[in-house]
Every structure is written in C-alpha cells, then in structure tokens.
Amino acid sequence: MKTLLPLIQKEFRSFWSSPLGWVLFAYTILMEGVCLSTAMKGLADTAIAENLVFVTFHSPNFWFFFLFLFPLITMRSFAEEEKSGTLECLLTTQIETWHLVFSKFIARILFYALLWTPGVFVFLSFGNITELPIPFIKEVLFTTHLYLFTLGAFFIALGCFASSLTSNQIIAGIVTIGLLILQYFLGFVTVIWGDQFAASDIFKLFSAQQHLTNACRGILDYAPLLLFSLLTLFTLLLTNHTVNYRRWKR
Amino acid sequence: MISAQNLTKAFGSRVAVDNLSFTVDKGDVVGFLGPNGAGKTTTIRMLTGYIPPTRGSATIAGYDIVKESKKARQQIGYMPESVPLYEDMRVSEFLKFRGKIKGLSGSHLKDRLGDVMEQCGLREVKRRLIKTLSKGFRQRVGLADALIHEPELLILDEPTNGLDPIQIRSIRSLIKDLAQERTVMVSTHILSEVELIANKVVIIDRGQIKAADKPANLVNNLRTAGSVLLETKGKIDTAPELLKALDHVKKVKDFGLKEGWNTYEVVVDAGTDARERIASLCLQENWQFRSLHRQGASLEDVFVELTRQD
C-alpha cells in the first residue's frame, strides 16, 4: 500500500496535468447533455412508457460516445511508459508489475467514475430545475450507474491490456476500440440470428446493451455484474503477464 | 557488492550476453566498457532485475537478482541510458514521487529530497517542469533519483551520453564525488572518462568478458607495442637502420623533415623502454636531438586491441 498510493496518485494527477483529462471531462458532460436533452425532447414529443434514465442511455448516441471514452482513457497507460522508457525506471525499483497494473487501473476507474458525477448531479436536480414531476425513480439511477461502473471497469481493463501490447498509443487506442466494438456487436448476435441456437444464452450474457436496458429499468441483475467483474480481473491478470512478457523478451 | 556467475541472456537464437562472470567489491568504481551492441545494457538490465537471465546467476549485496529480486533492487540506484523522466512533472514533484515508491516517507523523505537536490545542484530548478530542463540538468535529475534512497550501489548506463564537454566535466565530477561513499558501476564507451574515475575496468565484447582488471594493469599487460618519438638532426642517412638494430626495437617509421628536424617513431616491444639506448646512439653518432618522448599505451589502445573485429 505504501508504494501503491503514490503510484495511483501519480496516475490520477497525470490526467489533470495534461489537456486530455479536461477534454475528456468536457466531452463526457457535453455528450451526456446531448443524450439527456434528446431524451427529454423524445419524452415531450412522444408518449413513451419508459423513464428518463432509460431513454437517455438507451440510444445510439450514448453508445457512440461511451465506447470512444475508453481508448482515450487507457491508450497511454502502458504504451507511453514503454516508449519513453519510464517503465524500466519503475520496474527497477522495489515495485512489482502488479502494483503498476493495479494502480493504473484504479486511477483510471476513479477518473472514469468522476466523469459521471456531473450527469448524476443533473439527474438529481432535474425536479428542482424543471419543476416537473421527476420522470424516474432514484433506484434506476443507482442500478444504471452501478452497471455503467462495472462495465466501465471491464472496458478500462481491456484498454489497459491493449496498451500493454504495444509502445504506440495510437495503435493501443485502435485495438481498444476494435475490441469494444466487437464486444458491442456480440450483443446483436441474438437479435440478428434469433435465440434458437445452443449458444444463444452465452451471447445474451455478454450483451452489454441488454444488461444496460435492464439496469435502466431498475432491474438489479447480479449475473452480468459478476461476469464483468470476473472478466475485469482476468484481463488485468493478462495485462500483468503481457507487461512481464514484453519486457523479458526485449 | 556484485557477483555475477555465468550470466547469460539469449533472445531466441541470439545470445546477447554469454557466460559473464565478474565481481565488483564494495567501494569499487567500475567502468563497464564495450562497443555498441556488446551487451552492456542487457547485463545492466539483468543486474537491476528488469529482465531475468536465461542462465546463470548474480547477487547484489548478497541478494540473488531472481530469487530475492526486490531486496536486490532496493540496494541499487539505477540511471538508465536515456534518463527517462516524466516530462509533465516538476523536478521536486518527480523526486518526491520516486522517493515514495522507493519506500521513503515523512521527514526522512523531506531530508533526502533536500540532500539529493543539494548534492546534484538542483535547487535552482526544483520548481521547473522537467520538459523545460537542459540535457545536463535532466541527467542530474536522473542521478538525484538514483540516489534518493541512499543505495549502496549506483549503476549508471552511459551517464554522459549526448552532453556537451562542459556538462560532461560537471557530471563526471559529480560521479567522482558520489563514488567516495558508495560502489559505482558506470557503463560507457568514453574511455577518458573511465581512466579518470574508475579503479577497475570490465571490458565486454559480443556478450563475453574480454578483460576485468585495474586500468593500469590492463595497459601494462597490453600486447600492443609502445613507441618513442625522436626528433634529431645531423648526419642521419643511416639513422633508420641504426635505430632498428637496437634491442627491442620492432620498427622505425620515418616522418621526414619537420622544421629542420628529422622525426622518427621508434616502435618497441610492449613493456620495454628504449629511450636510454636511443639517447646513447644519438650521442655516439653525434646527432643533435630535441625530443625523445615515450608514447605509452592508453586504455583506448587496450579497448581497441580487445574489441577489434579483425
């Protein structure tokens, strides 16, 4: 812990000492605002039997900006350390590879969580600002953000893994977005092919969209939370091995 | 302090370091020499625990670099070749971060920060962003980082690489000061630097040790011949033959007339001094002479002799 804390602090601070952190923060607020205002317009124009949180997050707009967040958050994590040589400086002190993987992941999760706080605040103050009946219950806000957090953790772990594969952060970003798009389209397999085949349940389990839909309706399903938490751990383990493998073969 | 036994590193079929065995005693200042691609950095990376050896073993202050890697690494202050630093950090912020990850905290960390900044002359730039520093100051920040946890062993990979002559002199003097209190291993191919600071030299080439001894012993044991420079005038038509007839003289090179004086380089066997015999010959033949200078072998001659490819 004595060495983990300064590593986490350094990683977290690095977002704010460069324009990237501020740009991402502004980008998320802006895009979440676009999704919310589009949802409000939709609810005002059409009678939809869903709550505001559901309509906000259940849209292509949301997935477009959501998936692009992760390469931007993670692409520098290992690629830049390797390219600049600072990885060698870090790993020749008393810290171990897993310290580095864990601290980079934790710092990014904290940053990611922070990105959603203005949006939560906007939802919570909806009634006060509009003086309209609040079109959702608070539990929905909780389940949605709990699910976004768990899914985000997995996507951040995937991004860190992609960054550990290369010393070029652009390539790391492209690999990340490729993996996320692949994961996103896995969710459409049962929509396109139906669910009358043996492996359809597995595809449903991996469907990020379907789970978000449930969470936005206030359904707290532990299976996807557990699945994505385990996948996060597995991906971090893989990242740890990749970092070691790449430095040992050089 | 360092004991390497048959240290070997292979990358696939390419053997970068081949059965390297050497020791470095406590308090030694060791010059680790070799041409580019000789395996210096790979050896250093194994010693610092960054990459594991394929075969063999090494200990740092008695700790095995693989089995007790963490303890071994704690004994080392390491500055890699390109001095990688976090560009967006300020000098004091960077050193504080490095101190923390090396296990320092509280007043001890604060004291050490003050000490290393003083020692490395960083006080005036402590608030500056690292990306705005000159190469010389960056090198000093790297040294301060290597020193912050008071390591017993300092390993510096090409510490004067890319510096101008003034900066080289300043870093060299800093290393000399640091070497008074600890064991230092300096990898370089600037031989004059090693002659000035090291009391032991390890020369490697193509992954293998070519020599490991004190610089003076290496020079004395050099197989290459030494030479004597002679400037003389008089009736000297037969001079080359007469000089060549002297004991231990291997060859005489005639450089012709320079400012009215005939100049010869008399190449002699290693470890011999022919000056007395040459002087006697000059007196005997009534030649005037104004210069009789012995050109001894240098560490550079040793290096070239041991690492040349032909």
Side-chain angles (χ1 to χ4, degrees):
Chain A
M1 199 61 195
K2 204 176 172 185
T3 50
L4 267 179
L5 203 60
L7 280 171
I8 295 170
Q9 280 173 342
K10 183 233 133 202
E11 287 295 327
F12 189 70
R13 273 191 204 148
S14 71
F15 280 107
W16 308 109
S17 60
S18 71
L20 181 72
W22 299 100
V23 169
L24 277 175
F25 201 64
Y27 167 73
T28 309
I29 293 173
L30 180 76
M31 292 310 291
E32 212 182 341
V34 169
C35 291
L36 180 64
S37 60
T38 310
M40 285 164 68
K41 178 88 169 69
L43 278 179
D45 292 350
T46 326
I48 305 170
E50 295 288 357
N51 65 67
L52 180 64
V53 177
F54 179 93
V55 184
T56 304
F57 291 108
H58 193 74
S59 69
N61 283 354
F62 167 76
W63 282 101
F64 177 76
F65 101 82
F66 179 68
L67 291 181
F68 273 93
L69 272 181
F70 298 99
L72 296 170
I73 292 175
T74 58
M75 65 187 195
R76 291 197 310 171
S77 54
F78 287 97
E80 196 178 68
E81 298 267 19
E82 191 180 320
K83 191 174 184 183
S84 67
T86 46
L87 193 66
E88 185 176 357
C89 279
L90 288 170
L91 294 175
T92 49
T93 63
Q94 62 202 66
I95 66 168
E96 306 290 351
T97 310
W98 75 264
H99 286 139
L100 203 58
V101 173
F102 189 68
S103 61
K104 283 182 181 294
F105 173 72
I106 293 294
R108 275 156 184 80
I109 275 288
L110 290 175
F111 176 76
Y112 170 75
L114 203 65
L115 293 182
W116 296 106
T117 48
V120 172
F121 179 76
V122 168
F123 275 113
L124 289 176
S125 54
F126 183 89
N128 295 333
I129 294 168
T130 60
E131 293 179 348
L132 291 169
I134 301 171
F136 60 90
I137 53 169
K138 281 182 183 167
E139 284 75 9
V140 166
L141 212 52
F142 171 74
T143 52
T144 303
H145 283 90
L146 178 66
Y147 178 72
L148 283 178
F149 182 80
T150 314
L151 188 66
F154 173 51
F155 287 177
I156 284 171
L158 270 182
C160 287
F161 169 66
S163 185
S164 72
L165 294 171
T166 172
S167 56
N168 184 321
Q169 50 176 304
I170 304 295
I171 293 175
I174 293 169
V175 172
T176 307
I177 197 70
L179 289 171
L180 297 190
I181 288 173
L182 186 71
Q183 203 285 334
Y184 179 73
F185 282 107
L186 279 181
F188 285 119
V189 169
T190 52
V191 176
I192 297 164
W193 295 92
D195 52 7
Q196 300 303 310
F197 62 104
S200 64
D201 285 345
I202 294 172
F203 284 102
K204 278 182 187 169
L205 191 62
F206 278 93
S207 172
Q209 305 90 303
Q210 186 54 51
H211 298 312
L212 184 63
T213 302
N214 293 341
C216 289
R217 285 178 175 144
I219 302 165
L220 188 58
D221 186 356
Y222 291 104
L225 295 181
L226 187 67
L227 172 77
F228 288 121
S229 300
L230 287 174
L231 284 174
T232 303
L233 282 176
F234 174 73
T235 313
L236 290 177
L237 206 66
L238 208 60
T239 309
N240 186 73
H241 285 297
T242 311
V243 173
N244 280 336
Y245 174 75
R246 281 178 59 80
R247 77 174 158 122
W248 288 347
K249 82 177 172 79
R250 63 180 48 240
Chain B
M1 179 55 67
I2 304 176
S3 171
Q5 295 296 321
N6 306 318
L7 211 55
T8 302
K9 184 71 191 179
F11 299 103
S13 59
R14 189 176 69 85
V15 180
V17 173
D18 190 8
N19 275 311
L20 225 61
S21 297
F22 64 92
T23 56
V24 174
D25 296 327
K26 197 168 181 174
D28 274 353
V29 180
V30 181
F32 196 51
L33 307 179
N36 288 334
K40 300 189 295 289
T41 299
T42 305
T43 307
I44 287 177
R45 283 180 169 170
M46 284 191 279
L47 293 175
T48 54
Y50 188 60
I51 54 173
T54 310
R55 280 191 307 278
S57 64
T59 58
I60 305 287
Y63 297 110
D64 189 282
I65 55 163
V66 177
K67 292 174 193 155
E68 301 162 290
S69 173
K70 192 174 173 181
K71 280 187 176 166
R73 279 180 275 150
Q74 280 173 336
Q75 315 304 316
I76 302 171
Y78 172 45
M79 186 172 87
E81 185 179 349
S82 56
V83 199
L85 305 168
Y86 292 111
E87 305 283 324
D88 290 330
M89 281 188 169
R90 294 182 192 282
V91 172
S92 54
E93 183 190 4
F94 173 76
L95 292 174
K96 198 172 173 182
F97 163 67
R98 295 290 296 175
K100 281 181 179 173
I101 62 167
K102 289 177 180 183
L104 307 181
S105 58
S107 59
H108 186 212
L109 173 62
K110 204 175 167 187
D111 292 345
R112 285 303 300 153
L113 272 175
D115 290 349
V116 293
M117 280 204 266
E118 188 68 51
Q119 212 167 2
C120 299
L122 291 169
R123 285 223 176 274
E124 58 179 292
V125 295
K126 69 175 185 180
R127 297 285 308 149
R128 291 254 303 267
L129 283 172
I130 287 173
K131 64 181 167 193
T132 67
L133 295 179
S134 69
K135 185 111 172 74
F137 270 118
R138 291 172 67 93
Q139 219 81 358
R140 285 169 179 273
V141 174
L143 272 173
D145 165 30
L147 288 169
I148 197 155
H149 60 301
E150 297 178 277
E152 285 192 53
L153 170 66
L154 203 56
I155 297 182
L156 311 172
D157 195 0
E158 308 277 2
T160 54
N161 207 2
L163 298 181
D164 66 38
I166 309 264
Q167 290 170 328
I168 288 177
R169 192 175 282 196
S170 136
I171 292 291
R172 191 196 294 144
S173 129
L174 182 56
I175 294 170
K176 251 179 154 175
D177 288 346
L178 299 173
Q180 288 171 2
E181 296 163 11
R182 54 184 63 78
T183 312
V184 180
M185 183 174 180
V186 186
S187 151
T188 182
H189 43 222
I190 302 177
L191 300 161
S192 55
E193 203 167 279
V194 175
E195 278 180 316
L196 285 168
I197 60 173
N199 61 8
K200 185 176 180 181
V201 169
V202 176
I203 299 179
I204 70 165
D205 186 29
R206 282 162 280 179
Q208 293 180 324
I209 287 208
K210 296 291 178 184
D213 206 339
K214 290 180 178 173
N217 292 349
L218 288 175
V219 171
N220 290 339
N221 295 335
L222 185 63
R223 283 177 292 138
T224 304
S227 67
V228 173
L229 193 75
L230 171 68
E231 286 182 306
T232 182
K233 69 162 83 161
K235 196 171 178 290
I236 52 143
D237 301 346
T238 52
E241 287 77 31
L242 290 171
L243 285 166
K244 202 167 178 190
L246 294 174
D247 286 349
H248 298 296
V249 172
K250 295 172 79 170
K251 197 162 64 175
V252 177
K253 290 181 196 166
D254 186 349
F255 292 115
L257 212 58
K258 282 185 185 170
E259 298 167 357
W261 294 81
N262 281 88
T263 308
Y264 302 100
E265 187 189 4
V266 184
V267 181
V268 296
D269 288 333
T272 61
D273 190 350
R275 281 178 297 182
E276 274 187 45
R277 286 188 295 279
I278 295 171
S280 300
L281 178 69
C282 290
L283 293 172
Q284 187 188 309
E285 298 293 325
N286 279 326
W287 299 336
Q288 292 176 52
F289 65 95
R290 70 168 184 181
S291 169
L292 189 60
H293 173 65
R294 185 187 183 198
Q295 295 174 308
S298 65
L299 196 56
E300 188 173 326
D301 297 319
V302 177
F303 183 81
V304 172
E305 170 80 13
L306 293 172
T307 60
R308 68 181 174 199
Q309 306 280 319
D310 54 350

